[in-house]
Amino acid sequence: MTVPSVSRRDRKKAATRQAIADAALRLFLERGYDQVSIRDIADAADVSTATVFKHFSGKEALVFDQDEDRESQLIAAVRQRRSDQSILDALRQHVLDTWPSIEAHPQAAEFTNLVNSTPVLRAYSERMWTRYTDSLSAVIADEFGVGHDNLACVALARFVLEIPVLARGRQDRRAAIEAIFDILTHGWEPPGKPPAP
Amino acid sequence: MTVPSVSRRDRKKAATRQAIADAALRLFLERGYDQVSIRDIADAADVSTATVFKHFSGKEALVFDQDEDRESQLIAAVRQRRSDQSILDALRQHVLDTWPSIEAHPQAAEFTNLVNSTPVLRAYSERMWTRYTDSLSAVIADEFGVGHDNLACVALARFVLEIPVLARGRQDRRAAIEAIFDILTHGWEPPGKPPAP
DNA sequence: GTAGAAAAGTGCAACGACTCTACTTAGCGA
DNA sequence: TCGCTAAGTAGAGTCGTTGCACTTTTCTAC
């Protein structure tokens, strides 16, 4: 996984990609997303602008590098769950095990701030998850032997994939995840008032 | 509401806006979204491209004209509900009363097809609703006297606003809406198998 | 009515994201 | 060593979008 095919060519290709991603993140954090052009990034990474688009599908994708195979992990969590575990519990456990550690890297605070303060990046980060709705709902439906467009399955998949957005910026992300799964499991309950002053 | 302030100026302004929207929809349905440029639309409506952007915030907004004051209707549905009605029920009723009739206009099928087959329009239509998450969750939280960032309130608002996306393209939209509210009310239940062949 | 403010619309230049095409370069495999 | 292929480049071009200076239309107040 770290070394898929160690040819000199692939190493150079990966290095170029990394140089672009690094330059982009650095400049974005320094100046803000909208104040950095593709040309700036290309110059900083010492490549042409065309090369940037060879490696990344667009400007937003430069911000969200390494988000690979989260989709396949989700699918696997459902399909390879313990036989006595419900799908909802399997998802809850997978989400608790996996998602809080994401964004646990250096500069996490600045990074989160960058995304939250840039509308186009907020929108992109939300779509990042919900685009898996179809594949997650498909595997859930398969487990129950119903059609892929089964509404309950689609809704569950969608609601689970909304969790990262809802839990973002919470002080206790794990508690937030648990609370949302409780809604999905037992239904929505009116919130209790916070302790009086 | 149909005639907010009948001055000649306002009438002409509304007329040009309508001319632009009509030209845009016609061209989009004829050729497809990506095959129509702003210039094409401006020419067809006999205005300059600058005028197009005076009336619409961007190209995507040309597709989704008349989506006004759905936000305020949502707020009102929660705040002005009957005193014996829960918030969840008030939302359910409002959604059932209001949303199925949307898209009940001519060319609905072609329009839906246009949106679903154009990724950027799909994304836009999903954001159209979820952008109200903050204001809807705020009013819900107010009704319970808790903070605006209360997780249960934010999650409920978000999930309700996902309903249009989930119910889109269903044969029986009302049943779909009911089913999703049932999940939110009583928790998620595994789907039953369809009748055997 | 008429003057002048206010707003709608125009034409044009510019910027940035992204694409395309033709070309060079560098690594690979025989 | 000889191509073949993939990575990278340069540059022109398209398109969405904005800003600016300007004209035209309509409203308002005298």
Side-chain angles (χ1 to χ4, degrees):
Chain A
M1 180 175 276
T2 51
V3 183
S5 65
V6 267
S7 67
R8 177 189 241 92
R9 198 191 258 166
D10 289 353
R11 256 180 290 126
K12 290 209 166 185
K13 182 178 180 180
T16 307
R17 183 195 167 93
Q18 197 59 44
I20 296 170
D22 290 349
L25 185 57
R26 182 173 59 79
L27 292 175
F28 287 153
L29 290 176
E30 276 175 19
R31 296 189 221 159
Y33 183 78
D34 293 320
Q35 279 62 54
V36 178
S37 74
I38 298 286
R39 175 141 247 139
D40 295 334
I41 297 166
D43 288 349
D46 200 37
V47 296
S48 72
T49 63
T51 301
V52 174
F53 291 106
K54 285 250 166 69
H55 286 277
F56 298 91
S57 58
K59 192 180 180 184
E60 301 122 312
L62 284 163
V63 178
F64 302 96
D65 206 2
Q66 69 252 21
D67 338 288
E68 319 267 304
D69 60 41
R70 294 223 261 254
E71 183 175 19
S72 48
Q73 286 177 266
L74 266 172
I75 306 301
V78 171
R79 198 158 260 154
Q80 296 161 14
R81 71 190 190 281
R82 294 199 332 265
S83 60
D84 63 334
Q85 198 174 35
S86 75
I87 284 186
L88 213 39
D89 281 338
L91 281 171
R92 180 199 298 250
Q93 186 178 321
H94 174 72
V95 169
L96 278 171
D97 290 348
T98 311
W99 293 353
S101 64
I102 294 173
E103 301 184 24
H105 59 75
Q107 301 171 319
E110 300 158 77
F111 181 84
T112 302
N113 184 53
L114 172 70
V115 174
N116 287 346
S117 63
T118 312
V120 60
L121 290 183
R122 277 188 71 112
Y124 187 90
S125 75
E126 297 187 5
R127 249 182 306 140
M128 273 187 46
W129 294 96
T130 54
R131 66 212 263 225
Y132 303 145
T133 303
D134 285 350
S135 41
L136 180 56
S137 72
V139 65
I140 294 173
D142 280 345
E143 293 290 313
F144 286 111
V146 298
H148 282 191
D149 66 337
N150 180 279
L151 179 61
C153 299
V154 177
L156 176 62
R158 186 75 176 201
F159 289 164
V160 168
L161 292 173
E162 290 285 343
I163 290 179
V165 178
L166 293 169
R168 171 191 302 161
R170 301 270 158 191
Q171 64 295 0
D172 188 345
R173 296 162 70 86
R174 303 185 66 87
I177 292 170
E178 295 272 20
I180 295 167
F181 270 105
D182 283 347
I183 293 174
L184 294 178
T185 308
H186 302 115
W188 188 82
E189 300 278 344
K193 287 194 183 187
Chain B
M1 179 174 277
T2 51
V3 183
S5 65
V6 268
S7 67
R8 177 188 243 93
R9 196 156 38 202
D10 289 353
R11 255 180 289 124
K12 286 208 168 184
K13 184 178 179 180
T16 43
R17 183 194 165 92
Q18 197 58 43
I20 295 169
D22 289 350
L25 185 57
R26 181 173 58 80
L27 291 176
F28 286 153
L29 290 176
E30 275 176 21
R31 296 188 221 160
Y33 182 78
D34 293 319
Q35 279 63 53
V36 178
S37 75
I38 299 286
R39 279 229 138 76
D40 295 335
I41 297 166
D43 288 349
D46 200 37
V47 295
S48 72
T49 64
T51 301
V52 173
F53 290 105
K54 286 253 167 66
H55 286 277
F56 298 91
S57 57
K59 192 180 178 185
E60 302 121 314
L62 285 163
V63 177
F64 302 96
D65 205 2
Q66 68 252 20
D67 337 288
E68 320 265 302
D69 58 43
R70 295 221 261 252
E71 183 175 19
S72 48
Q73 287 177 267
L74 265 172
I75 307 301
V78 171
R79 198 158 258 154
Q80 297 161 13
R81 71 191 189 280
R82 292 197 338 260
S83 59
D84 63 334
Q85 197 174 33
S86 76
I87 285 185
L88 213 39
D89 280 340
L91 282 170
R92 180 200 297 251
Q93 187 178 320
H94 173 70
V95 169
L96 278 171
D97 290 348
T98 312
W99 293 353
S101 63
I102 295 173
E103 299 185 25
H105 58 74
Q107 299 171 319
E110 298 158 80
F111 181 84
T112 302
N113 184 54
L114 172 70
V115 174
N116 287 345
S117 63
T118 311
V120 60
L121 291 183
R122 277 188 73 111
Y124 185 91
S125 75
E126 298 186 5
R127 251 181 305 143
M128 271 186 47
W129 294 95
T130 55
R131 67 211 264 226
Y132 304 145
T133 304
D134 285 351
S135 41
L136 179 56
S137 73
V139 66
I140 295 173
D142 280 345
E143 294 290 313
F144 286 110
V146 298
H148 282 190
D149 66 338
N150 180 279
L151 179 60
C153 298
V154 178
L156 176 61
R158 186 75 175 200
F159 290 164
V160 167
L161 292 173
E162 289 285 345
I163 290 178
V165 177
L166 293 169
R168 170 192 303 161
R170 301 269 158 192
Q171 65 294 359
D172 188 346
R173 296 163 70 87
R174 303 185 67 86
I177 292 170
E178 295 270 20
I180 294 167
F181 269 105
D182 283 346
I183 293 175
L184 294 178
T185 308
H186 301 115
W188 188 82
E189 299 277 345
K193 287 195 182 185

